[in-house]
Amino acid sequence: MAAPCTHAQEANRPALLHELFQDHAVLQRGAPLRIWGQAAPGQQVSVSFAGAASATRAGNDGAWEIRLPAQAAGGPHDLRVEAGDAVQTVRDIWLGDVWLCAGQSNMELPVWRSLDAGGEIAAAADARIRLFTVPRAGAITPQSHFSEPTAWRIASPDTVRDFSAACFYFARELRKTIDVPMGLVQAAWGGSRIEAWTSVDALRAGGQGGEALDVLSLYAADPIAAVARWGAYWQRWWNARKETAAGDEPWRADAPADPAWRPAPAGLGAWERWGVPELAAYDGMVWYRAQVELSAAQAARGAVLELGAADETDMTWVNGVPVGSSYGADAARAYALPRGLLREGANSVVVNVLDTWREGGLAGPAAAHALRFDDGSRVPLDADWRYRPTPGTDAPPSAPWQAAAGLSTLYNGMIAPLGRYGLRGFLWYQGESNTADGARYAARLRTLRADWRRQLGDGLPMLVAQLAGYGMPPSAPTESGWAEVREAQRRVVAEEPRSGLAITIDIGDHYDIHPPNKQELARRLARAARHVIYGARALAPSGPVPREARRTADAVVVTFDGVTGALATTGAAGPIGFELCGGEADGCRYVDATIHGHRVVLRAPQRSGDAGRVRYCWADGPTCTLRDGAGLPAGPFELPLTAAETTR
């Protein structure tokens, strides 16, 4: 009999297992185990794990999958796969609970940026918590594998440092009451929109995406044609803006001379640093224009337009033809140009740059911007750039192929490769990038929840971290996209018992969109998990929850459920932040409130009959003072007023 392969020898063979199945992995306890990978077409594949074994045959494409019986928590175990003379063994595999932690920068924020990071990192060792980071990657079509190598790692000071703080602290907190191994899968990308995390099929079924999804499909086969079609879409958007004057098409190569175009500083860079007062704190769009002179021979060559980084989104034209659009404040641009677009003599390059946060603009130096030809030569653009600010606050549409701001791109590159890997649930912390159209967030969150359950498991629990407060409290009632997203998160979670919400309104930071107190966030997520998933029904999942708002003869009464002890308030005699809202003409107004048991009474007798809604903590960064005996805050909400009843 042949001697068994050593682990080192096996490592030199082609991997039979999908890269999710590696040393130190955690597999989901209590559910049938799905194991899959790749072998030669038609080859017999045998799998053994923790006393269970099964065999199958690879398909015509070499793909294979085996299901093994459910097993209880425990380990360590070896997972062994044989196909012909190929053998792969992965070791130190545990059965426990596996969590997908996904979203944008507040989920991505690492332990080293959280509160008391030094102490937390030093004390981070826990051999029963395992970490897996999905490489950041956008893709036009669903991928079966990750974009680069990755591995499961045992939680330690070295491995935890750069891992999601919210995710790690969640598992650490949960293990205080749920003593099983925890596997954590981080899939997060700062600045990402929810549409990027949702599959094409789900977006279409939900009526989201429209023509942009058709452009994305075209982009997979013909990027240049897709860019041209998207450019036409973008230009229609521009022409439909109420701020756009008739005939104003800045991208045109033959655009008439316009004194609104001003000379840009030679070094370009962030426009906030140009010394121009109107740009000193400007978030919005700025147009840029430059030229490049070419010979007939150069114009006939294949070419790529190279631009420096654009903070944060660009739409670019050459000679009036759309050639590219990208998202990413740190990424240089490189756009392949259609043959025949360039011409002898002057060629125009026009770039529209959108910035929504902090500094924005087209990066320098001037030498970073050039045409690179297929013979390796390079011609810099004219250094005399001109610019034109753009009035209006509405943001242009994002190209559907953009990684973080596109459609389905992060689903394709980061969620699709997870296949049907067993999970206990998923944590979702995202929404900041959707606050510009918060009214649509509820439908998008429902679509994502159903989409991920379709792939990752029917009825998979979802735990949502509600957006934290950000920005200074207003002095008068105001409309807020952040509040709309929070209300969408609240309502979608309340629709079914397999979803839970962690309120974070009180642990935000007025000056930092990335609040560092991820420990308290994790405690609240773990509390929601214990109630929603582990059956601790006596434990209120998230603090006071509004049940209804009713008119009485001289007041409005808001009743709360989920209260531990009694309602209480901090920093004032009564709760702060309640509003009564009427029609558009009346708007909303702050009202005084008092606590009566599990109710809050709003006193506005002279005008309460005109009101149709109650709002609480309705702002980007509101002041909220209502909580319960457990110290858990009542989260932001909006409720319709129901018919008057006799005071009880």
Side-chain angles (χ1 to χ4, degrees), residues 444-465:
R444 290 168 177 165
L445 184 56
R446 291 187 192 100
T447 297
L448 178 128
R449 180 173 60 187
D451 188 34
W452 286 19
R453 286 174 172 174
R454 173 195 55 79
Q455 176 183 326
L456 300 168
D458 294 338
L460 189 70
M462 175 181 74
L463 303 177
V464 175

Side-chain angles (χ1 to χ4, degrees), residues 13 165 187 218 234 272 275 388 409 439-440 462 475 571 589 596:
R13 296 178 180 272
L218 177 61
W234 198 102
E272 289 86 350
R388 195 190 94 179
T409 43
R440 301 181 183 180
M462 175 181 74
S475 58
R589 59 194 180 278
H596 297 265

